[in-house]
Amino acid sequence: MGDIAPSPFGDAIPGELTMSLQDKLDAFKADFERNKAPREAVAIFHKATAELIASRQAEHALKIGDLAPVFKLPDATGTRVDSAELLQEGAVVVTFYRGVWCPYCNMELEAIEAAAEEIRANGASLVAISPQTPANSRKSQQQNRLSFPILSDHGSQIAAAYGLRFRLSEELIEVYKSFGVDLPVINGEQTWTLPMPARYVIARDGSIAYAEVNPDYTRRPDPSDLLPVLRLLDRATVA
């Protein structure tokens, strides 16, 4: 596959181990907006986020107690991963990931990887779901040294079933293009859609036990927030 291309939005700022995920995201955002991005682009990023928040789409995404849509999606090698099979073994943590080009998403995946051993110790498996092609998922997995798969959701069909898919505005599309982010190439389809960042815990019965959806892509919960829910589910399974 050759060298992994750096994110066009810049590299994450290395942080101390004691920094929370949100602290790292905030530090990256401040540096990016102050030192790397044109002022006009920053204004469009902020406008697009404000419009997505105002649309209240996140309020209509699937929530705790809803039944999670089933999926059979290819991993980075093309092997289909079946959510029903995963749930036979225990709870499943699902993270919706925008793509290899997104530094905020990559920092989130790194944080989840740091917590992966503890998540599995509480009886859960892990997957990320992205609209990008399997080839780009391979890059993401190598870049972030992941022990869990990134599954390719062509056209964000599963994201849509969760209520997460949205289309970028025309002015935001032009800004992405100016940074070299060509979503039709990265995702292998022409819709210019993405999922809102989201993280779910699906219980063995298929119901959603934890849900975190944020239309502001720069805001992400710490993976440790999952652990109390996973412990409860694991104890219920043992009982």
Side-chain angles (χ1 to χ4, degrees), residues 15 49 58 67 69 104 106 114 144 163 178 192 200 204 207 219 227 233:
T49 298
L67 192 64
Y104 299 93
N106 290 324
N144 297 298
S178 74
W192 282 96
Y200 289 92
R204 291 188 70 172
S207 65
R219 308 293 300 175
L227 297 177
L233 293 174

Side-chain angles (χ1 to χ4, degrees), residues 61-75:
L62 294 188
K63 298 177 176 61
I64 293 172
D66 290 336
L67 192 64
V70 297
F71 57 79
K72 293 182 181 179
L73 296 173
D75 65 13

Side-chain angles (χ1 to χ4, degrees), residues 10-110:
D11 297 325
I13 297 174
E16 298 294 334
L17 294 176
T18 55
M19 287 179 70
S20 70
L21 171 59
Q22 192 58 57
D23 286 342
K24 293 178 183 179
L25 296 175
D26 290 343
F28 174 83
K29 181 180 179 181
D31 178 67
F32 173 72
E33 294 189 352
R34 184 182 303 117
N35 301 318
K36 297 176 182 176
R39 183 176 302 175
E40 297 80 6
V42 172
I44 292 172
F45 288 141
H46 289 182
K47 179 183 176 184
T49 298
E51 289 176 345
L52 188 55
I53 292 170
S55 76
R56 305 181 68 179
Q57 181 178 339
E59 298 175 22
H60 300 289
L62 294 188
K63 298 177 176 61
I64 293 172
D66 290 336
L67 192 64
V70 297
F71 57 79
K72 293 182 181 179
L73 296 173
D75 65 13
T77 68
T79 301
R80 291 266 168 180
V81 174
D82 187 335
S83 61
E85 292 180 359
L86 294 177
L87 289 171
Q88 291 177 8
E89 303 299 323
V92 180
V93 175
V94 178
T95 293
F96 284 88
Y97 170 68
R98 302 199 310 165
V100 66
W101 52 271
C102 175
Y104 299 93
C105 298
N106 290 324
M107 281 186 274
E108 180 184 21
L109 289 190
E110 290 172 1

